[in-house]
Amino acid sequence: MGEIMKKIELKYITKSTPLLIDKKEVVKSKLSATENKNFWELRGVNLSISPGEAIGLLGNNGSGKTALIDILAGKEKQTTGFITMDAHTSIATTRYGMDKNVTGLENIKHAVSSANLDEFKANHVINAIINFSDLGEWLYCPVRTFSTGLYARLSISIALFVKPELILIDSIFGSLDLAFFKKVSDKIQRLKDIGVSFVISDINVVNIERFCERTLWLDFGQVQDFGSTREIMVQYEYSFGWVQSLTASEKTDYLAKKQIERESFDVSTVYEEFKIEQFKNGFTRKDEPKMRNAFYKERGADPVKLLADKNSQEKVAVKQTKKKNNRLKLAGLIVVLLLLGGGIYEVAFAKESAWNYIQDRFTQNSSKSTASSKSKSKQKNSSKAESLSSSQKASTKAETKKEKAAKKASSESAKAASASSASVAAASSASAKASSESVQKLKDNTQTINVQSGDTLEGLASKYSTTVDNIMTINDFTSNSDLKAGDVIRVPK
């Protein structure tokens, strides 16, 4: 695993497949020979997958699970919609993925080579797959000779070990023997613990409940519900019971109606949902031609995501530009100060030199005139000097005593301030340590839950006998808007 995988999002996913109608049907339905009818396998699927999460795909045969798996795997292109994904995708399925004309070992080596791993890691992964799959001599046999169970074993072993980030498992558990299924179950849990995500499609609801925190329920290509696996299971079983309670004629009418809906589906209804989201995020009517092109033709990156990334990059660029300008201003100010400082020094030096010259000339001129007066007043000045000297000595002693007293008082004051500062720092450190220990103790004693539509921080706090502040602290929330339906959060036990 490299960097932690980012959240995966699917929005407005539809998949249309043309129906091949024979000539008799063309005559009956009054269609031209060149006119095609479309069958919508998927009708507006929205889905999010968090790192380390397993999402289940639940639904009857033909509900669209396989179509969604193939789109995620890159085997099919969606008719409309966007997929935001930055993860290596592996798929375990019995429908495709292996070259049946070569051996199992050659298939393993080809899969590892396609992942662009360095030689040391590639050899390590090959050996890990060989040991995990327990295929023995079958590794050296052509895959076309494999049973369904052996094919499934090889397929899922490769998917679990070759650069695992997002792993798609398509109805494969039923082909595995019990011992190997247990081995696979343990490996899936270990991978989830380090952030690997899964999308698991299986007709057996027990397997969905075993592995998946959340489940997407598809019926006739349309999302019936998406949420906590346990809650989806209850609704799915209720719906199944309702269909089973219908009489034969009622069931036929029901299936016919659903089939007609699937053929007459209007994809523009999904486009209208897309437009509303665009307008909420700053797009205008002027952008509609680009929006339509992105939705129906490009089907690449989500325009809202692109806009958010662009705004984020612009903010980073503005910050970097401000920092650069501030550095340039500071450098310019330093240069100016240095230049100004040098000029002031030169002027001061010139003034000092001129003053020294004047003083020297004045001293030379006056030395002769003062020589005689100095000798006359020497005796008188001597007595005055002695008197002044004794007075200065007394004054100097008094000043020395005052300075010593002032220094002593200053030293004692500094020591007291230092002691006070140390005690405040110690108290602050103790308080911070106690607060950190309290937060860590709170985070340790938690459990994970799935946020449902309509959940609020106040409601969750009441349900789990805690406070809103505790839930926000545990999950590093900054506001109530951080709580979103479908997220996995932690609450106190």
Side-chain angles (χ1 to χ4, degrees):
M1 288 289 292
E3 297 180 356
I4 295 176
M5 190 189 74
K6 297 179 181 178
K7 190 172 185 178
I8 298 170
E9 288 189 318
L10 286 73
K11 295 165 69 174
Y12 314 113
I13 301 297
T14 66
K15 176 62 178 173
S16 174
T17 301
L19 294 175
L20 301 178
I21 305 174
D22 59 25
K23 294 180 179 179
K24 292 181 180 179
E25 288 294 325
V26 170
V27 173
K28 287 181 181 179
S29 58
K30 298 180 182 180
L31 293 172
S32 67
T34 57
E35 188 174 353
N36 290 325
K37 292 182 68 177
N38 289 326
F39 168 74
W40 291 90
E41 294 185 75
L42 295 172
R43 297 185 279 165
V45 175
N46 296 313
L47 174 66
S48 65
I49 310 169
S50 298
E53 182 181 28
I55 298 294
L57 297 183
L58 189 62
N60 297 328
N61 292 332
S63 60
K65 303 188 301 297
T66 297
L68 187 58
I69 287 282
D70 288 347
I71 289 171
L72 280 169
K75 297 297 180 181
E76 296 286 343
K77 183 70 175 177
Q78 67 271 25
T79 302
T80 67
F82 313 99
I83 300 176
T84 302
M85 178 167 59
D86 182 19
H88 179 268
T89 304
S90 307
I91 182 167
T93 180
T94 56
R95 294 183 294 113
Y96 55 79
M98 301 286 181
D99 185 347
K100 294 185 178 181
N101 294 317
V102 301
T103 65
L105 182 59
E106 288 174 314
N107 272 286
I108 293 172
K109 290 180 178 179
H110 175 73
V112 173
S113 175
S114 300
N116 296 321
L117 303 176
D118 61 72
E119 184 177 357
F120 176 80
K121 191 169 184 179
N123 291 331
H124 175 75
V125 171
I126 290 171
N127 290 329
I129 295 172
I130 292 172
N131 294 331
F132 184 83
S133 63
D134 285 335
L135 287 172
E137 289 77 6
W138 284 105
L139 283 169
Y140 308 100
C141 298
V143 172
R144 67 173 179 271
T145 65
F146 281 21
S147 65
T148 303
L150 290 178
Y151 190 103
R153 181 181 287 218
L154 178 60
S155 178
I156 198 166
S157 297
I158 292 173
L160 293 174
F161 282 89
V162 179
K163 202 175 180 181
E165 292 179 356
L166 173 64
I167 300 177
L168 312 173
I169 299 177
D170 180 24
S171 301
I172 210 169
F173 293 135
S175 302
L176 304 176
D177 59 67
L178 185 60
F180 193 73
F181 175 73
K182 178 65 169 62
K183 195 175 183 180
V184 168
S185 298
D186 295 340
K187 180 63 176 177
I188 288 174
Q189 189 55 57
R190 289 197 297 273
L191 289 175
K192 285 172 64 179
D193 290 341
I194 61 172
V196 178
S197 299
F198 291 81
V199 176
I200 300 174
S201 171
D202 203 279
I203 200 66
N204 189 341
V205 295
V206 175
N207 291 331
I208 297 292
E209 192 169 12
R210 179 193 295 267
F211 297 109
C212 303
E213 288 77 21
R214 292 188 296 160
T215 295
L216 181 76
W217 173 21
L218 285 170
D219 194 29
F220 296 98
Q222 203 166 33
V223 176
Q224 299 301 306
D225 205 350
F226 177 45
S228 169
T229 296
R230 185 63 243 164
E231 294 180 2
I232 299 301
M233 290 291 181
V234 172
Q235 295 183 48
Y236 177 72
E237 290 172 2
Y238 176 81
S239 174
F240 176 78
W242 178 82
V243 173
Q244 292 300 112
S245 68
L246 297 176
T247 63
S249 60
E250 288 174 338
K251 188 180 293 186
T252 301
D253 292 342
Y254 171 75
L255 294 176
K257 178 183 177 183
K258 289 295 183 181
Q259 188 64 38
I260 292 171
E261 288 178 0
R262 215 165 181 180
E263 293 178 10
S264 61
F265 172 69
D266 185 1
V267 72
S268 65
T269 58
V270 181
Y271 176 69
E272 289 301 317
E273 294 179 19
F274 166 72
K275 276 204 310 183
I276 291 171
E277 184 197 24
Q278 305 304 293
F279 292 150
K280 286 181 179 178
N281 284 276
F283 292 87
T284 64
R285 293 289 180 185
K286 294 180 180 179
D287 300 311
E288 192 158 354
K290 294 181 180 178
M291 290 159 52
R292 182 175 290 275
N293 184 62
F295 185 81
Y296 286 107
K297 294 182 180 179
E298 293 178 1
R299 296 165 291 167
D302 180 10
V304 171
K305 180 71 166 53
L306 289 176
L307 181 63
D309 290 343
K310 181 181 177 181
N311 291 339
S312 177
Q313 291 173 0
E314 289 177 352
K315 288 180 181 178
V316 171
V318 169
K319 287 182 179 179
Q320 291 177 345
T321 302
K322 285 183 178 179
K323 287 182 179 179
K324 185 177 180 180
N325 290 339
N326 289 337
R327 291 195 192 101
L328 290 174
K329 288 178 181 178
L330 181 61
L333 181 62
I334 291 172
V335 171
V336 171
L337 290 174
L338 289 173
L339 292 173
L340 289 174
I344 293 169
Y345 175 78
E346 290 176 0
V347 171
F349 180 77
K351 287 183 178 179
E352 184 178 358
S353 299
W355 177 249
N356 289 337
Y357 175 77
I358 293 171
Q359 282 185 327
D360 289 342
R361 295 292 296 173
F362 178 77
T363 301
Q364 291 176 4
N365 292 333
S366 61
S367 59
K368 294 179 180 180
S369 60
T370 57
S372 58
S373 61
K374 281 183 178 180
S375 60
K376 292 180 181 179
S377 59
K378 184 176 182 181
Q379 187 174 2
K380 184 178 180 180
N381 289 339
S382 177
S383 60
K384 287 183 178 180
E386 289 176 358
S387 174
L388 181 62
S389 176
S390 60
S391 175
Q392 286 177 341
K393 286 179 179 179
S395 176
T396 302
K397 288 180 179 180
E399 289 177 355
T400 301
K401 289 181 179 180
K402 289 181 179 179
E403 288 177 357
K404 287 181 177 180
K407 286 181 179 180
K408 184 177 181 180
S410 175
S411 176
E412 291 176 352
S413 175
K415 288 179 179 180
S418 176
S420 175
S421 176
S423 63
V424 170
S428 176
S429 176
S431 175
K433 184 177 180 181
S435 176
S436 176
E437 290 176 351
S438 176
V439 170
Q440 187 60 43
K441 183 177 180 181
L442 179 63
K443 288 186 175 182
D444 290 341
N445 190 28
T446 60
Q447 59 182 329
T448 58
I449 65 166
N450 294 288
V451 179
Q452 306 302 316
S453 177
D455 280 349
T456 63
L457 287 176
E458 292 76 7
L460 292 175
S462 175
K463 182 177 180 181
Y464 293 96
S465 301
T466 184
T467 64
V468 172
D469 290 340
N470 282 348
I471 295 178
M472 293 182 71
T473 300
I474 292 170
N475 296 278
D476 298 324
F477 286 171
T478 58
S479 67
N480 290 349
S481 61
D482 290 339
L483 185 71
K484 297 178 181 177
D487 286 348
V488 178
I489 67 169
R490 305 191 75 86
V491 298
K493 291 182 179 178

